[in-house]
Amino acid sequence: MDQVSTVQAPASSLRLTEHPLQRCGAWAAAALAGCDRVEDVTAELLDGVVRQIVGDVVEAAIARPDTGAYDWWKVLFALYPNSKPTHAKREKDRTALTREMVQLFLPDDAEGAERTCTFCGQQCAMLWAKSTLPMFDSIRSLNTLPPGTTGWPVCRGCRVALWALPYGAGLTAGSATVLMCDIPQVERQFTARNVRRAGQIRQLGFNGLPAMAGPEAVTLEALREYAADTPAATSLWMFKNDNQEPWLRVSGTRTGVARFVHRMLADPDCAKGWRDLCRVLKRRDRQGRTAVDGATVAARLLFDREGEQPDRLPRELWAQSGDWEKVSRLTRVRWRALCRLYAEVMYEMDPDRLEPVAELLASWIAQESHRGRFNDYCRAAGSGYQLHRLLMTTSASLRLRGVPQKALDATTLTDLLANGSKGWLDRALLFFEVSAKLDAKRVPIGAKKNDSDDESEGEIGFGKTSDDEVEEYA
């Protein structure tokens, strides 16, 4: 009986760590190698990734300013501003640049590997500093390296990952965005999409790109596909590492966002309300081209930013609904459904508990069939103190006229009038409940806007835009 020997490919040093930049680069390297998993990248495949990175860097370094490859140089300059291929006085000799780049990714010498990799913990011998590491030392920071060293220990796999980073990040000419998520498939889809886009940048440049959604919209699309049954949190790191001064902005979604997105798209009113919001938020330039993609701007509302108040989606829906001259009744109905679903999913709140308060205000506004009282309510709606005063006035006015009133729950009133995000969310919900009551009572407040105006076709998905939409998200 013949025996067939099986030869296994040599193991790769590429590993997936918890550092956002290395993690994005590791996923990108796997995508460049044609692998679905980072652990499937063999040493031979990693060599192929190195050859592509070196070739693309050298091509970008010697490219003419009017080419797509030169736009890739801009990307590299924003991430590795002190490296030799991006330096203003770089030598534009292909052979010399190739030799310089190859030196960066040489395998670790087993005999000299006396240090532990900063990222993955493997033994390594090479030290890297700001000239080759993205987003490390600020120009205003001194002595940030370990005492007695000239750089951070970085193994070959992590060195490759950190230069594969721009392939897997959401890019502009001056910044990059990477994704962290509890579900690996979400990260993989985000990275794979950006790897395809990076190829287009190198070929066509940024001006020649087809329309692309921003990283927030791409993240929501991946959450919709992979996290409907397993809610997961995400973080987006947008950063710039040029020589002027590095900066970093972090935003993220809570675990409930994935379930909210899934349920939103399954509900016809909510899905159409999201589409209406995307259309309202889209902006065009003077030539009529889309300057700001509404789908990405809407997606950002589901991301919490450091130092800013959360729950921006209901705030935006409330702000957009304030002018009844511009928003039709049908759109308000859809945005009410969207706001109610958000409160239910994200906070397990029952919007119906606000019904007695909404009835009280709507009855008071309906006594004068004009916009004056509605404007009084709108002015008070944003402040717990002002709303409290208005509710006291309203209750007294209706009582004097003998209008029956429902009892108001003390706990509900406390939540409604509270400071902070919960109070704001309750007041946003109340606005839509009052609007629904006024519609039911047929109170004429705004000019009649044809509901058919809101029936234009548009994409409901997150990661898709029409051919003329150009995203500028930095």
Side-chain angles (χ1 to χ4, degrees):
M1 181 176 179
D2 295 334
Q3 292 183 349
V4 179
S5 61
T6 301
V7 179
Q8 294 184 346
S12 168
S13 61
L14 183 64
R15 295 183 181 181
L16 202 60
T17 74
E18 294 303 315
H19 192 285
L21 306 189
Q22 190 277 349
R23 191 175 183 88
C24 176
W27 279 116
L32 292 171
C35 300
D36 289 334
R37 302 185 306 169
V38 172
E39 54 266 35
D40 292 338
V41 181
T42 64
E44 182 180 356
L45 291 173
L46 192 63
D47 290 340
V49 174
V50 169
R51 286 192 293 270
Q52 178 168 349
I53 292 175
V54 170
D56 291 340
V57 170
V58 172
E59 194 65 34
I62 64 176
R64 300 190 313 272
D66 58 346
T67 62
Y70 186 75
D71 278 3
W72 190 248
W73 177 85
K74 294 178 183 178
V75 170
L76 298 175
F77 178 75
L79 300 182
Y80 321 96
N82 296 318
S83 66
K84 292 185 178 180
T86 62
H87 199 279
K89 297 181 179 180
R90 63 191 177 279
E91 184 179 4
K92 295 191 177 182
D93 178 83
R94 185 184 296 272
T95 302
L97 283 171
T98 301
R99 189 182 306 113
E100 292 279 359
M101 288 301 301
V102 168
Q103 292 297 314
L104 296 179
F105 306 111
L106 291 177
D108 289 297
D109 183 358
E111 295 182 358
E114 300 176 350
R115 301 179 178 89
T116 301
C117 178
T118 303
F119 298 95
C120 70
Q122 295 185 88
Q123 293 301 109
C124 60
M126 189 170 291
L127 298 176
W128 271 17
K130 186 184 178 183
S131 61
T132 46
L133 285 173
M135 200 66 197
F136 247 70
D137 300 334
S138 167
I139 59 175
R140 295 181 181 175
S141 300
L142 300 176
N143 303 321
T144 57
L145 289 168
T149 64
T150 57
W152 298 91
V154 187
C155 71
R156 189 198 189 210
C158 290
R159 279 181 269 136
V160 174
L162 290 168
W163 275 75
L165 166 67
Y167 295 86
L171 298 174
T172 68
S175 69
T177 303
V178 302
L179 168 70
M180 290 279 285
C181 182
D182 301 335
I183 300 179
Q185 293 91 331
V186 174
E187 294 180 333
R188 184 182 65 192
Q189 178 165 311
F190 180 88
T191 305
R193 181 188 179 97
N194 289 327
V195 168
R196 294 192 294 269
R197 183 170 182 257
Q200 295 173 327
I201 294 173
R202 297 194 306 276
Q203 292 291 324
L204 306 172
F206 284 104
N207 291 334
L209 279 180
M212 297 292 289
E216 295 88 354
V218 175
T219 301
L220 291 189
E221 179 65 22
L223 285 174
R224 180 198 64 78
E225 184 171 350
Y226 293 106
D229 299 325
T230 309
T234 68
S235 294
L236 287 178
W237 289 39
M238 178 181 290
F239 67 97
K240 186 176 183 179
N241 189 42
D242 65 7
N243 272 328
Q244 295 181 358
E245 179 63 16
W247 53 257
L248 170 67
R249 300 167 189 162
V250 180
S251 63
T253 63
R254 286 165 277 168
T255 54
V257 167
R259 190 158 59 96
F260 169 75
V261 168
H262 182 72
R263 289 188 56 182
M264 176 183 72
L265 296 181
D267 182 281
D269 278 343
C270 290
K272 291 177 181 177
W274 181 267
R275 184 203 64 194
D276 292 344
L277 180 63
C278 293
R279 189 184 63 252
V280 168
L281 295 177
K282 182 166 66 174
R283 296 290 181 267
R284 296 184 181 275
D285 60 20
R286 294 180 179 179
Q287 288 72 39
R289 297 171 301 187
T290 300
V292 179
D293 171 30
T296 295
V297 178
R300 288 188 197 135
L301 298 174
L302 294 175
F303 285 77
D304 297 331
R305 298 175 178 175
E306 288 185 341
E308 296 186 8
Q309 291 182 326
D311 304 317
R312 294 192 297 149
L313 176 62
R315 288 170 180 266
E316 185 66 28
L317 293 173
W318 183 8
Q320 294 288 346
S321 301
D323 191 346
W324 280 27
E325 305 288 345
K326 297 180 179 179
V327 180
S328 74
R329 181 197 64 82
L330 186 56
T331 294
R332 291 199 309 274
V333 168
R334 294 168 178 171
W335 286 353
R336 175 188 180 227
L338 199 56
C339 196
R340 288 170 64 92
L341 179 64
Y342 183 91
E344 177 186 341
V345 173
M346 301 299 293
Y347 288 97
E348 297 183 350
M349 292 170 57
D350 179 15
D352 288 334
R353 76 192 198 290
L354 298 174
E355 193 274 338
V357 185
E359 178 63 31
L360 175 69
L361 290 166
S363 298
W364 176 71
I365 294 170
Q367 286 183 339
E368 293 184 8
S369 294
H370 59 78
R371 197 178 177 109
R373 286 191 172 180
F374 179 75
N375 287 341
D376 290 340
Y377 164 62
C378 289
R379 283 191 289 270
S383 164
Y385 173 74
Q386 295 295 335
L387 182 59
H388 188 201
R389 292 186 59 184
L390 181 63
L391 288 175
M392 294 176 63
T393 301
T394 300
S395 179
S397 174
L398 294 179
R399 188 176 293 110
L400 289 173
R401 296 193 179 203
V403 178
Q405 303 175 37
K406 296 181 181 180
L408 304 183
D409 180 70
T411 302
T412 299
L413 284 175
T414 300
D415 294 340
L416 179 66
L417 304 177
N419 294 323
S421 61
K422 190 173 182 181
W424 272 99
L425 180 56
D426 268 345
R427 290 192 286 275
L429 286 168
L430 179 63
F431 176 85
F432 286 106
E433 297 305 307
V434 171
S435 298
K437 293 284 186 183
L438 293 175
D439 285 336
K441 296 176 183 293
R442 300 184 181 278
V443 177
I445 291 178
K448 292 184 178 180
K449 187 176 186 296
N450 190 351
D451 287 341
S452 64
D453 293 346
D454 286 343
E455 292 296 334
S456 58
E457 293 296 325
E459 288 286 356
I460 295 178
F462 301 101
K464 303 172 183 177
T465 53
S466 59
D467 289 341
D468 66 335
E469 289 181 345
V470 178
E471 170 57 15
E472 296 178 359
Y473 61 85

